[in-house]
């Protein structure tokens, strides 16, 4: 009886996650209804809360897939409660991704659930565990852009539409960056089980620096331009224009000088 109760507690949704979800819902309503009069702070809180929710779901997807693949320890570690404070590195999984959104408007991949891989048998299972996180970002992006590619924007307030566009951009960048086959990122985790033992041993020392290397390379103007061209090609395919994304980011960063065209569009 005690064991069963413990397992149930390990999987109960955390009040912390419920609180963040409540902030997302309330501020989303505030953006939709223009309750605050000016959308800036409401958009900031809505997008930030929704981004944190997506990060929690990303890590939950890794943990839940690992659980069904044979690692029964993820529950005791708190990974199934969706509590962001339970992650191995809160700084990497939550704080840095939020700071990158605030400073640069890019979806930084998180990543800090410790999976005991030796408990899992089968290369496909290992690959699926790694893919589950970024696939959650893909699903989140599809949901955010559904009104755009379905042509269902009638009645959607302009500020809310811009906020969704920016939130979708974060999900698309997070998914693409995570799927890069770079050591330390989920994309490498997908292919790693299929590599030879020798190659894995050679690559292993570079894993802690993979994400840093990606961002250093992204500072190269030509690479940065090509990367965002690819991002916006995906966004265009989902029916979201660059102008809508730019206005969403503009509203999100309410403390900076806003573009008149965005302000005018929202005030109509």
């Amino acid at each position: 009886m005690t064991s069963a109760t413990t397992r149930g507690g390990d999987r109960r949704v955390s009040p912390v996650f419920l609180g963040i979800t409540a902030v997302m819902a309330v501020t989303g309503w505030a953006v939709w209804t223009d309750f605050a009069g000016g959308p800036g702070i409401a958009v900031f809180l809505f997008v930030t809360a929704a981004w944190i929710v997506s990060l929690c779901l990303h890590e939950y997807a890794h943990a839940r897939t690992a659980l069904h693949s044979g690692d029964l320890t993820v529950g005791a570690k708190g990974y199934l409660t969706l509590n962001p404070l339970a992650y191995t590195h809160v700084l990497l999984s939550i704080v840095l991704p939020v700071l990158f959104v605030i400073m640069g408007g890019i979806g930084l991949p998180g990543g800090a659930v410790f999976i005991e891989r030796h408990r899992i048998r089968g290369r496909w299972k290992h690959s699926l565990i790694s893919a589950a996180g970024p696939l959650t970002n893909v699903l989140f992006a599809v949901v955010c852009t559904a009104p755009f590619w379905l042509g269902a924007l009638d009645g959607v307030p302009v500020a809310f539409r811009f906020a969704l566009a920016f939130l979708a951009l974060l999900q698309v960048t997070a998914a693409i960056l995570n799927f890069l086959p770079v050591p330390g990122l989920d994309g490498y985790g997908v292919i790693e089980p299929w590599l030879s033992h020798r190659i894995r041993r050679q690559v292993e020392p570079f894993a802690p620096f993979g994400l840093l290397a990606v961002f250093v390379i992204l500072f190269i103007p030509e690479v940065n331009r090509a990367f965002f061209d690819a991002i916006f090609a995906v966004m265009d395919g989902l029916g979201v224009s660059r102008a809508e994304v730019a206005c969403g980011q503009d509203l999100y960063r309410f403390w900076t000088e806003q573009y008149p065209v965005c302000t005018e569009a929202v005030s109509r």
Side-chain angles (χ1 to χ4, degrees), residues 40-247:
I41 295 178
V43 168
F44 174 82
L45 292 175
F46 168 62
V47 172
T48 300
W51 174 235
I52 295 175
V53 166
S54 75
L55 292 172
C56 293
L57 292 174
H58 176 113
E59 304 300 346
Y60 175 83
H62 284 309
R64 173 61 71 170
T65 308
L67 175 70
H68 292 294
S69 298
D71 183 3
L72 303 181
T73 68
V74 293
K77 295 169 185 171
Y79 298 158
L80 302 178
T81 66
L82 290 162
N83 183 359
L85 302 179
Y87 301 144
T88 307
H89 299 293
V90 176
L91 176 67
L92 294 179
S93 282
I94 300 297
V95 178
L96 282 182
V98 170
L99 286 178
F100 266 79
V101 170
I102 292 173
M103 293 187 300
I106 187 171
L108 174 73
V113 291
F114 177 69
I115 308 298
E116 298 190 16
R117 295 279 183 169
H118 65 277
R119 298 176 180 272
I120 299 164
R121 298 290 180 267
R123 289 184 291 184
W124 282 107
K125 290 181 180 179
H126 285 281
S127 295
L128 186 57
I129 291 169
S130 296
L135 286 176
T136 303
N137 294 111
V138 171
L139 180 59
F140 215 106
V142 170
V143 171
C144 289
T145 58
F148 297 87
W149 50 266
L150 287 175
L153 290 171
D154 291 341
V156 177
V158 175
F160 192 83
R161 186 177 85 195
F162 290 164
L164 280 182
F166 181 53
L167 181 58
L169 174 78
L170 300 180
Q171 302 301 327
V172 170
T173 56
I176 290 179
L177 287 173
N178 263 298
F179 270 129
L180 292 177
V182 175
L185 298 181
D186 291 327
Y188 178 75
V190 172
I191 66 172
E192 183 182 24
W194 307 90
L195 301 177
S196 68
H197 179 70
R198 179 179 60 84
I199 294 177
R200 281 183 283 168
R201 286 290 300 273
Q202 290 175 339
V203 170
E204 187 177 357
F206 301 100
F209 311 104
L211 182 58
L212 176 62
V214 168
F215 279 97
V216 169
I217 293 172
L218 280 176
F219 273 102
I220 301 173
E222 293 78 9
V223 176
N224 186 276
R225 192 177 306 112
F227 174 75
F228 278 101
D229 282 345
I231 293 293
F232 282 112
V234 174
M235 298 298 290
D236 288 340
L238 293 171
V240 184
S241 69
R242 293 191 181 208
E244 289 168 319
V245 173
C247 285

Side-chain angles (χ1 to χ4, degrees), residues 239-263:
V240 184
S241 69
R242 293 191 181 208
E244 289 168 319
V245 173
C247 285
Q249 184 175 12
D250 185 49
L251 292 176
Y252 179 81
R253 304 187 71 194
F254 65 90
W255 58 90
T256 62
E257 183 179 356
Q258 295 187 343
Y259 295 107
V261 63
C262 299
T263 305

